[in-house]
Amino acid sequence: MSAARGLVLAAVSGLVLATALGVIYAKHQSRKLFVELRSLEQGRDLLQIEWGQLQLEQATWATHGRVESIARERLRMRIPAPESVVIVRQ
């Protein structure tokens, strides 16, 4: 019986050790993935900030006053006289 007990004890000890190593490995992987997740979230946040800035810049460049000013200066466009305006109705 003593040899059988020793064998069982050795097997249980081996299983406990293997389980402990599995837990350590899983925890390590979990931490590694968590760090990667935080890094990706930070990158996402920076891209969202940049997107907001680009939208603001686009809105600034596309204001009615700016478009009208460029049309007048660069394209020499003018508002037509009221008598030259033709309204087309269907």
Side-chain angles (χ1 to χ4, degrees):
M1 275 293 207
S2 179
R5 257 190 204 169
L7 188 57
V8 169
L9 183 60
V12 169
S13 296
L15 290 174
V16 168
L17 180 62
T19 303
L21 290 174
V23 168
I24 291 169
Y25 177 75
K27 188 66 173 177
H28 173 70
Q29 288 297 103
S30 172
R31 287 182 179 155
K32 199 163 86 170
L33 290 172
F34 182 75
V35 168
E36 183 179 354
L37 173 66
R38 288 295 176 199
S39 174
L40 291 171
E41 286 175 343
Q42 184 180 16
R44 178 205 59 201
D45 293 343
L46 291 174
L47 287 173
Q48 284 180 340
I49 290 169
E50 184 179 358
W51 174 248
Q53 290 171 342
L54 288 172
Q55 286 180 317
L56 181 61
E57 183 178 351
Q58 181 185 16
T60 301
W61 285 104
T63 59
H64 179 72
R66 185 173 188 287
V67 170
E68 184 178 352
S69 172
I70 290 174
R72 285 180 188 275
E73 293 171 10
R74 292 186 191 167
L75 302 176
R76 302 186 197 287
M77 296 177 83
R78 302 282 179 244
I79 296 175
E83 59 272 4
S84 65
V85 175
V86 177
I87 299 175
V88 179
R89 294 189 179 135
Q90 288 183 333

